[in-house]
Amino acid sequence: MCMRLLNLEFLQRAGADLPTEIVEHLEKTRPAPTPPAHCRILKGRRDNIHDVVDFGRACDISPETICWELIQYSRLSLPPERRLPENPAILPALLVELLTILEILVLAFLESGVYNIYRARCTGARLFRNQTCRNDCVWIQAGGENMYGALRGRLLARLISLFKIR
Amino acid sequence: MSLVDSGPPSDVHSLVTVQLRDVTRELTVVNIGTILGVAHLIPETERRWLVNSRINLRTFNGICWDHRGGLYNKINSGSDVAWMWATLLPDGAVASRSQLGDKRV
């Protein structure tokens, strides 16, 4: 379901009987006190995807649709200095990296400094472990807390693809 | 996906229902920073799901989800939804498999 990222304080509070050498090692190698609040890690890079056209082919979506959606996203969500080029000759040729796993660190319920690592997977049209394709459902913060009734600004969506544009 | 009736929890099981949008763009691009976590949806029909915000997945897989179809079909049959959730959810209490079996009889 998910992995849990525990810190030394949590283990000691839970009464874990850790050997002295392990505690010393953990003390020495302790990273930053807490991970960033909204840490996201993309993994599972797919090869043979070079540009927006390849990306559309891999996801079975027309390049025109993808370009149009990218332009909409760029206009509505990106600051002016980071907007994508809207030139139809340039946009389809932008470098794209397609990935299949998004790791999300979520603060554990009633804990501080303990994070659960959730893995949202999206294989697109490809099979997952030789069975059906897997495109997980995720929560998205789509608006303020007064929107969408009891969901308080969150909406549900199915991941179709995870990508980076370079 | 869109909310059914603008998103109030159901009077029966206190869960929100979502459905596939009828008129929809093929896809929407979002920043991955807006993705908050993985969601668990319980199928109600082919186009509608209950948003599980009450039972953890271990409980759900162990008690509610019967891969042979029995109990899972009960959940989907509509009239049993209230009984099912009332059995599992009051004050966080969870009925054991045997208790559920007894009540089903």
Side-chain angles (χ1 to χ4, degrees):
Chain A
M1 185 169 61
C2 66
M3 292 175 66
R4 179 165 268 204
L5 188 65
L6 302 176
N7 56 16
L8 186 57
E9 285 81 7
F10 180 89
L11 290 171
Q12 288 171 336
R13 203 167 59 239
D17 186 21
L18 298 172
T20 314
E21 58 269 25
I22 291 181
V23 173
E24 285 174 0
H25 176 72
L26 290 174
E27 290 282 2
K28 269 189 252 171
T29 58
R30 179 181 295 192
T34 52
H38 298 289
C39 185
R40 309 281 187 278
I41 301 166
L42 284 163
K43 289 185 174 176
R45 187 174 184 277
R46 275 182 61 178
D47 296 329
N48 304 324
I49 306 294
H50 303 295
D51 54 23
V52 174
V53 176
D54 289 341
F55 170 48
R57 199 175 297 127
C59 299
D60 202 16
I61 301 167
S62 70
E64 294 79 16
T65 303
I66 286 186
C67 289
W68 192 81
E69 291 293 345
L70 285 173
I71 289 169
Q72 294 302 310
Y73 168 73
S74 169
R75 284 179 184 168
L76 297 173
S77 306
L78 295 181
E81 66 275 12
R82 293 186 56 203
R83 286 202 181 140
L84 299 172
E86 297 185 12
N87 186 329
I90 298 174
L91 185 57
L94 291 179
L95 294 179
V96 172
E97 195 175 346
L98 189 58
L99 302 112
T100 56
I101 301 172
L102 176 64
E103 287 192 347
I104 309 161
L105 267 59
V106 179
L107 194 62
F109 183 58
L110 293 178
E111 297 287 352
S112 59
V114 178
Y115 288 80
N116 291 327
I117 304 171
Y118 287 88
R119 288 202 178 108
R121 292 179 188 266
C122 112
T123 62
R126 295 175 110 198
L127 299 181
F128 176 66
R129 295 182 181 168
N130 292 326
Q131 297 186 17
T132 56
C133 56
R134 176 171 166 179
N135 296 295
D136 288 345
C137 287
V138 292
W139 289 102
I140 291 176
Q141 189 70 48
E145 291 205 341
N146 56 347
M147 295 173 70
Y148 309 129
L151 299 188
R152 298 169 67 88
R154 303 178 191 103
L155 278 182
L156 291 133
R158 190 175 293 281
L159 284 179
I160 297 173
S161 68
L162 294 164
F163 66 94
K164 284 183 195 172
I165 288 192
R166 297 198 176 276
Chain B
M1 291 174 193
S2 62
L3 299 167
V4 174
D5 300 331
S6 304
S10 160
D11 292 336
V12 178
H13 43 62
S14 299
L15 298 177
V16 174
T17 307
V18 294
Q19 64 187 358
L20 283 181
R21 285 185 282 187
D22 292 328
V23 180
T24 178
R25 284 149 67 185
E26 198 169 355
L27 58 104
T28 303
V29 178
V30 298
N31 188 325
I32 63 162
T34 63
I35 298 178
L36 303 172
V38 181
H40 179 219
L41 302 181
I42 303 167
E44 192 178 40
T45 68
E46 281 189 6
R47 296 178 61 85
R48 286 168 66 125
W49 294 266
L50 302 174
V51 181
N52 177 22
S53 53
R54 304 283 289 273
I55 303 181
N56 63 61
L57 279 179
R58 193 168 289 121
T59 304
F60 181 85
N61 289 333
I63 296 178
C64 300
W65 188 273
D66 185 342
H67 290 283
R68 291 165 297 184
L71 199 51
Y72 174 63
N73 286 342
K74 281 274 186 188
I75 295 174
N76 271 345
S77 64
S79 62
D80 290 295
V81 168
W83 167 82
M84 186 67 208
W85 293 103
T87 306
L88 289 171
L89 296 178
D91 300 322
V94 176
S96 71
R97 190 183 290 271
S98 60
Q99 285 172 310
L100 286 173
D102 292 340
K103 291 198 177 186
R104 286 173 67 193
V105 175

